[in-house]
Amino acid sequence: MSLWRGRFKEDMHPLVKNFTFSAEIDKELFNYDIEGSIAHARMLAKCGIIKEVEVEKIIKSLREIEKDIQDGKIDFSKKEDIHMAIEEELIRREKDAGEKIHTARSRNDQIALDEKLYLREKIKTLCSTIHSFQLTLLDIAEANKDVTLPGCTHLQYAQPVSLAHHILAYFWMFERDKGRLLDCYKRVNVCPLGAAALAGTSLPIDREYTAKLLAFPAITENSIDTVSDRDYVVEFLSSCSIIMIHLSRFCEEIILWASPFFNFLEIGEGFSTGSSLMPHKKNPDVPELIRGKTGKVYAALISLLTIMKALPLSYNRDMQEDKFLLFQAADEVKLSLEIFTQLMKNLKFNTQKMRQKAEEGFFAATDLVEYLVTKGVPFRTAHRIVGKLVRWCIENKKDFTCLSLQEYKKFSPCFEENVKQRLSLEECVKNKNSAGGTGKKSLEIQIKHAREKLEIQHESFSLQAR
Ligand code: ARG
């Protein structure tokens, strides 16, 4: 019988049990629930609410329960939730002391605590997973500084760029992702325990002490807000969704580049799949699945936003639905990052093909405009001149390199012999040395900054994320 059935005459309808019970899902939180209970019990003893000997018994039993759960010895299928399951088990093993564990506590503050402890750990591991991924990206960038790629806007020829530059674009996206997670961590890292059901308690508890035991630097200020709040889960899911945007865009490019229509790279065989019907197939299922899982992670965010949107204060059972969403999204994001890191290590870039494609499509057009600008031609005029030059080349089936100086001069007297030097692919890439640009010098600086970021974090990361 449930611990709270004192006021009921009738048993719970079996349908209601099935409908309301969540232990099979939230059992994932068992070790956080136990850590929280141990800290709570210690605080109760320190405040003279329960006896020292009782705490010792409680802790001993909780540790045994923890081990039994780890060993799969506890059946959660008939348990209401993880908190009830553990409390019932504690009382079964340690009747008198066990009956005191829930003093000055509610499942409402308890679940917020469990989730926050869970998230502290998940955020830390996710950040270090991103860190490893970024290291891989940096290595790939360093190995491909001199590879030229047709840079696109609208998936049309735009300007040639270094492959390293393109890869590093993703490095910085994931750098922001870590920043978002660590920012979310600050709000996760505030202890909710002691808010009780919603109003606090008349018992002389010491919330600061519990927080200290659980390494929280602060406690929540308002007990009603504490048990109503799921912002920290929403923030985490939105950070996860943004990570998935980035992964999905990267996957999309890998899929396109692996297609024979681009042929910019080959995915390692270990990371490819075949067809049950067509014997020749080699498919990019891994990046496709990551792209697909993005939908699931967004769905978790949208679901929780919708669940929370009209809830009156304070706790409502609707909020229980957050766990499945949270666990699933956290796992999918981590797994996607890990497998994608390995996939990246198993790519073979077809650098010749990239270069060949980079040479198509009037790649130097913008460079010619900038050339004219350096000769004093106003930008808009220069743009028009080169636009006409491109038109003429298309109509006469020529490209920039096969025009004589006389032909150039027909479009503008400002063209001089040295215009020819501006037309090579290398030149176009090399000289874009504005900060953050694709030029060699800028790229070296960018790589240096990226390495520094990772090194600084490597030292301070565990501190920040404590
Ligand atoms: N299983 C619940 C949840 O996940 C725990 C809190 C239940 N509180 C309650 N008053 N029924 O949100």
Side-chain angles (χ1 to χ4, degrees), residues 434-448:
S434 52
T438 205
K440 196 79 188 248
K441 282 197 199 116
S442 293
L443 198 58
E444 293 291 359
I445 294 171
Q446 188 181 157
I447 289 175
K448 188 168 152 277

Side-chain angles (χ1 to χ4, degrees), residues 4 20-23 26 29 80-83 106-112 115 197 230 315-323:
W4 47 257
T20 58
F21 283 17
S22 64
D26 50 39
L29 296 170
E80 180 170 343
D81 57 29
I82 186 65
H83 325 298
S106 153
R107 282 180 294 161
N108 300 351
D109 55 348
Q110 203 179 349
I111 185 60
E115 286 186 336
R230 288 295 177 274
Y315 178 81
N316 298 270
R317 193 67 176 268
D318 317 40
M319 289 152 78
Q320 174 169 296
E321 298 294 320
D322 68 344
K323 244 80 65 207

